[in-house]
Amino acid sequence: MATSIKEMTDGEQPYEDERTGLTKEAFKHAFLDNLFYVQGKFPALATHNDYYQALAYAVRDRLLQRWISTAAAYTKQGSRTVAYFSAEFLMGPHLGNNLINLGIYEQVREAIAELGLDFDTLLRQEDEPGLGNGGLGRLAACFIDSMATLEIPSLGYGIRYEFGIFHQEIVDGWQMERTDKWLRFGNPWEVLRPEWAVEVRLGGHTEQYRDEHERLRIRWVPDKVVVGVPYDTPILGYCNNTANTLRLWKAEAPESFDFSTFNRGDYGGAVRQKVWSETLSKVLYPNDEQIQGKTLRLEQQYFFVSCSLQDMMRIMRVQKLPLERFHEKFAVQLNDTHPAIAVAELMRLLVDEHVMPWDQAWSITCKTFAYTNHTLLPEALECWPLELFKRLLPRHLDIIYEINARFLDEVRIRFYGDESRLARLSLIDEHGERYVRMAHLACVGSHTINGVAELHSELLKHDVLKDFYDLWPQRFSNKTNGVTPRRWMALSNPRLSGLIHEAIGDSWVKNLDELSRLQPLAEDAAFRERWRAIKHANKVDFAAFVKERTGLAIDPQSLFDVQVKRIHEYKRQHLNILHVIALYHRLRSNPNVDIQPRTFIFGGKAAPAYHIAKLIIKLINSVGDVINRDSAIRGQLKVVFLPNFNVSNGQRVYPATELSEQISTAGKEASGTGNMKFSMNGALTIGTMDGANIEIRQEVGAENFFLFGLTAEEVAQTKARGYRPQDHLTAELKEVIDLIGSGFFSRGDTEMFRGLTDGLLWHDPYLVLADFESYSECQLRVSTAYRDVEHWSRMSILNTARSGKFSSDRTIQEYCRDIWHAPSVPVRLLSQEDVKVGFMQ
């Protein structure tokens, strides 16, 4: 019989420690205790958010026991620690994931139900921390999950953005950006650590002086100082005692209120420094078209890097380790170029603050850092105007000049007389306006450089970073990305996870290669039927969610064809929607044409200043408006744009998807991780030979992957010959583009989409027209395959069964083995008695 909240409060007593117990009864009491003493509410006045907060704090208590035990183990052993530097951590909601990793998800669901509350409603109360833009930030989140699961001592370092990536709304088909107020009700998962705050300097100038030992030194005299305050979030491993730390920095003013200025009547001036300081951690990725945006973005990057390195030196002091062993204590991974300024900052701290000789400091620096490159797009390899850099970071520019001079001396010796190579390798781009090349700084200051998929790593070596590869081939390696199966299967797809548990046990959650044991079951008709039933149930759930969010009814019997990711021309959402228009045109031209019913689902955000990407969103929505209202096509096609795509929405869409669109121009996508999430949840992929698609196809089998389009080599050859988009304008494609241009999808406005269609017809940098015919033919193969229900089910099962390689656990094991050399450290759970003994000692 269920126990209500009233019965629990009328005298039933706990029999297990409410702070650490994992039984159902212990959790009920902990939940009520937090409702009363943390939220200050009783049931008659409590809101859904109060109940969520009480539940979150009850879960956090269990995390804290593991967190303290982990910190004690690492401190005692002086463990080698991975410091993961990333400007983004797209964590997703914490509550469900922590319950999965504690191994108590179902019993907590039951406990909450027995108290008369709806568990799913409480889960939905959590505001998702929007601390990332897409794949880069989500990868960082998967990696720190895997490091905790593999018991690797680690710290994630980043920024606690007060307002994360914008909340996307669709108004008349256009993307509108709203403030993402994820902290409006507080964040129960973080712990403020003001005692570990550090100061960060900006601007000003440098000057020479002689210290008390008559040594010539450099002093940085800043014109601004900001304080970095750490907020810590425990990151729990799966079913172990490890809880690592995600440490995010908030910017504050050294003095938040100038009393003398206030007394003079300048009330705004009294808080001016507070306002400026807090701007640094106010919002994720400001619009950097204007110089103010560029300035803030560079300030943000330097801010979190400086805070983090100073914090690591504090840890060295606490553990009584000499600074000369910094590289032995820490392995720092630079997640793309955003934290690359860390190379110059560590040199500044060692040389200026700790009076270490340059050569020794440089040796430590190069042994500390490793660099992951995440892009093949030249515009994404950050370069900062020299004047901006000098104004914000004058001492660092001096250090970069010195690093560059010594580095180019090495290049001159190695490649005697090759002046063009010197110019290409220089940390300073001297062509036109001078720039600091951050990817070059990361390469020079790191002991290893890696790409994130086999093709991407090869293109880095032979194209983007070719000169560095020629100089240091031993530094380059590949580490194909992965995703955590805890969030992306166990949490987001409980029906499928339950079937897999029943079939092969639960060890696959921690060792995804175990999924290979599902392969023989692809030939079991009864298993295929259960597999299809689960997919259908997930589609029904997702259809209800779409109805709630968009008002659009979609048919779960149709093929769910999904492309959800950041909106960018190289990802080619416009190729997808051109094909949708082509199908619609066929149906309207011949109502009897046999077309497999499909629901096309799009989702993703465009950067606020990226006009063409926003125009693609508008086109998708405009096409959807026309198709979804056209009764003549009898619902055979539907188009959905799911607003505000994020981790939470990803957890809903991946389990329901049947066809995953991974259609980027070959040679442009570094890896992709959405492709992995879809595949391990049983979706089939239609894609190009790009990024990790290549390895997914190798693993699942070419016969279980729908391949189309030019290869990266063919793309390069096509462009080298002088690509003419209109040469690829088939009759159908011309009709599609003419239909857009006629105003058919824009209420007669013939100008609305002209920027998009003219760009395709006259420039088409991502070869949409060149790949359209191949894509269209491949989609016909998809339709044919989908009609063979049993065969499609086999392919779906094999996609899941052969996805073991794409666990982030495998990726982290490779980083540990080849780059970080960081051994695992098992953690013994401390009890309250252990703490008492520690006090007495």
Side-chain angles (χ1 to χ4, degrees), residues 84-91 134-147 156-157 235 246 335 374 482 673 812:
Y84 199 81
F85 280 24
S86 180
E88 302 181 30
F89 284 94
L90 196 58
M91 299 303 300
L136 180 88
R138 186 51 232 174
L139 182 77
C142 286
F143 276 9
I144 59 175
D145 172 278
S146 285
M147 283 187 264
Y157 279 116
I235 303 299
L246 172 62
N335 193 28
H374 281 281
T673 52
I812 292 301

Side-chain angles (χ1 to χ4, degrees), residues 6 10 38 49 106 131 162 169 224 260 358 389 427 432 562 608 612 629 636 672 712 739 744 812:
K6 183 177 185 304
D10 279 349
V38 177
N49 184 65
E106 287 304 324
L131 306 183
E162 182 180 346
E169 293 181 5
K224 293 183 284 192
S260 62
W358 179 280
F389 206 96
L427 274 58
V562 179
I612 291 296
R629 286 186 288 107
Q636 291 183 78
L739 197 59
F744 185 80
I812 292 301

Side-chain angles (χ1 to χ4, degrees), residues 421-527:
R421 188 183 296 266
L422 282 172
R424 294 195 305 270
L425 281 168
S426 174
L427 274 58
I428 308 298
D429 184 345
E430 304 281 1
H431 297 94
E433 184 182 1
R434 301 169 75 203
Y435 290 89
V436 180
R437 295 162 160 166
M438 301 309 287
H440 289 214
L441 179 62
C443 288
V444 171
S446 298
H447 57 82
T448 57
I449 303 159
N450 72 278
V452 291
E454 288 177 1
L455 174 63
H456 173 234
S457 295
E458 288 305 304
L459 290 171
L460 286 182
K461 291 191 290 188
H462 302 298
D463 185 6
V464 180
L465 298 177
K466 180 181 184 303
D467 290 308
F468 285 101
Y469 179 69
D470 290 344
L471 183 63
W472 297 313
Q474 73 281 2
R475 292 192 184 186
F476 283 75
S477 67
N478 174 62
K479 298 290 171 280
T480 297
N481 285 342
V483 300
T484 170
R486 271 74 64 181
R487 182 174 293 275
W488 297 115
M489 290 186 73
L491 176 61
S492 63
N493 201 345
R495 292 187 181 98
L496 187 64
S497 298
L499 177 62
I500 296 171
H501 284 340
E502 184 182 325
I504 64 171
D506 62 3
S507 60
W508 62 271
V509 182
K510 210 167 183 174
N511 179 10
L512 204 61
D513 287 335
E514 290 287 313
L515 289 179
S516 63
R517 294 166 56 201
L518 291 172
Q519 290 189 73
L521 293 172
E523 300 306 318
D524 183 327
F527 188 81

Side-chain angles (χ1 to χ4, degrees), residues 263-325:
N263 281 341
R264 291 197 303 269
D266 184 0
Y267 305 136
V271 294
R272 188 170 294 120
Q273 187 177 20
K274 173 182 171 63
V275 171
W276 172 82
S277 297
E278 292 182 357
T279 299
L280 260 68
S281 57
K282 189 67 71 175
V283 65
L284 172 73
Y285 285 11
N287 183 343
D288 62 358
E289 283 194 324
Q290 305 299 321
I291 189 64
Q292 294 89 341
K294 288 183 169 67
T295 300
L296 180 54
R297 188 160 175 174
L298 180 55
E299 286 174 340
Q300 286 181 329
Q301 293 179 5
Y302 175 65
F303 165 73
F304 97 81
V305 159
S306 180
C307 289
S308 304
L309 288 171
Q310 291 184 68
D311 188 62
M312 292 156 69
M313 290 181 174
R314 177 191 59 79
I315 293 170
M316 296 281 290
R317 292 193 298 273
V318 169
Q319 297 188 5
K320 298 180 172 57
L321 296 171
L323 208 53
E324 290 75 17
R325 294 182 57 196

Side-chain angles (χ1 to χ4, degrees), residues 542 546 552 554-555 558-564 575-584 587 595-603 620 623-624 627-628 636-642 653 659 661 686 775 779 782-783:
F542 184 71
V546 167
L552 186 65
I554 60 175
D555 181 8
S558 65
L559 167 59
F560 278 15
D561 181 332
V562 179
Q563 187 176 20
V564 288
L575 172 60
N576 190 344
I577 198 64
L578 289 178
H579 172 250
V580 174
I581 297 170
L583 290 179
Y584 176 65
L587 271 174
I595 287 182
Q596 167 62 44
R598 290 203 200 198
T599 299
F600 295 93
I601 298 160
F602 295 84
I620 292 167
V623 171
I627 290 177
N628 298 338
Q636 291 183 78
L637 301 178
K638 283 286 180 74
V639 178
V640 176
F641 190 92
L642 184 65
V653 72
L659 185 68
E661 298 270 352
I686 180 170
Y775 178 63
Q779 289 284 18
V782 169
S783 294

